[in-house]
Amino acid sequence: MYCSHCGKELEEGAKFCSYCGEKVGSYSGTFPTKQKSTLYSDKSRLAAGLLQIFLGGFGIGRFYLGYIGLGVAQLLVSIFTLGLGSIWGFIDGILILTGFVKEDGKGKILEDL
Ligand SMILES: [Zn+2]
């Protein structure tokens, strides 16, 4: 076996590389969780949907997901329609909860409920 960090040959069963001191196998051990975190959003679909259903007139669920422009738009529409436009945010909350909205504002995947 070989060190994944410096590439030197290691004794069988060694826990640490004697050349560079790296933990043996640490790279392959952490890679899958790293990859998952770059693909999937750390935001909760449930939290975003509920925020948007109850506070959608202010675009809060969209702000939470990182859709700043859309959140501001929903807020402005509610103000200019004297609250009537908040129905948009409410419907948007249902779309988030039911899975029609698949990504957060950074394009990361929202996990299903
Ligand atoms: Zn090494």
Side-chain angles (χ1 to χ4, degrees):
M1 56 194 271
Y2 297 90
C3 173
S4 59
H5 188 75
C6 67
K8 298 270 197 215
E9 195 168 359
L10 299 173
E11 277 178 69
E12 209 59 53
K15 297 263 188 294
F16 292 91
C17 173
S18 51
Y19 293 95
C20 68
E22 275 297 301
K23 210 172 159 185
V24 173
S26 62
Y27 178 73
S28 60
T30 55
F31 187 68
T33 50
K34 252 187 183 170
Q35 193 178 40
K36 188 173 190 291
S37 68
T38 58
L39 276 174
Y40 284 88
S41 176
D42 56 355
K43 303 291 193 291
S44 152
R45 179 186 293 283
L46 182 64
L50 290 178
L51 281 171
Q52 190 63 14
I53 282 174
F54 290 110
L55 299 164
F58 305 102
I60 302 300
R62 285 296 186 170
F63 281 120
Y64 167 74
L65 285 180
Y67 289 93
I68 305 304
L70 203 51
V72 170
Q74 288 174 344
L75 181 60
L76 291 178
V77 165
S78 293
I79 291 170
F80 287 121
T81 60
L82 304 175
L84 210 67
S86 61
I87 191 76
W88 175 23
F90 176 77
I91 293 168
D92 203 30
I94 294 171
L95 293 180
I96 291 170
L97 271 186
T98 52
F100 281 93
V101 176
K102 300 195 186 307
E103 296 170 347
D104 71 8
K106 291 175 187 148
K108 292 185 180 183
I109 300 163
L110 284 171
E111 289 190 84
D112 292 331
L113 291 177

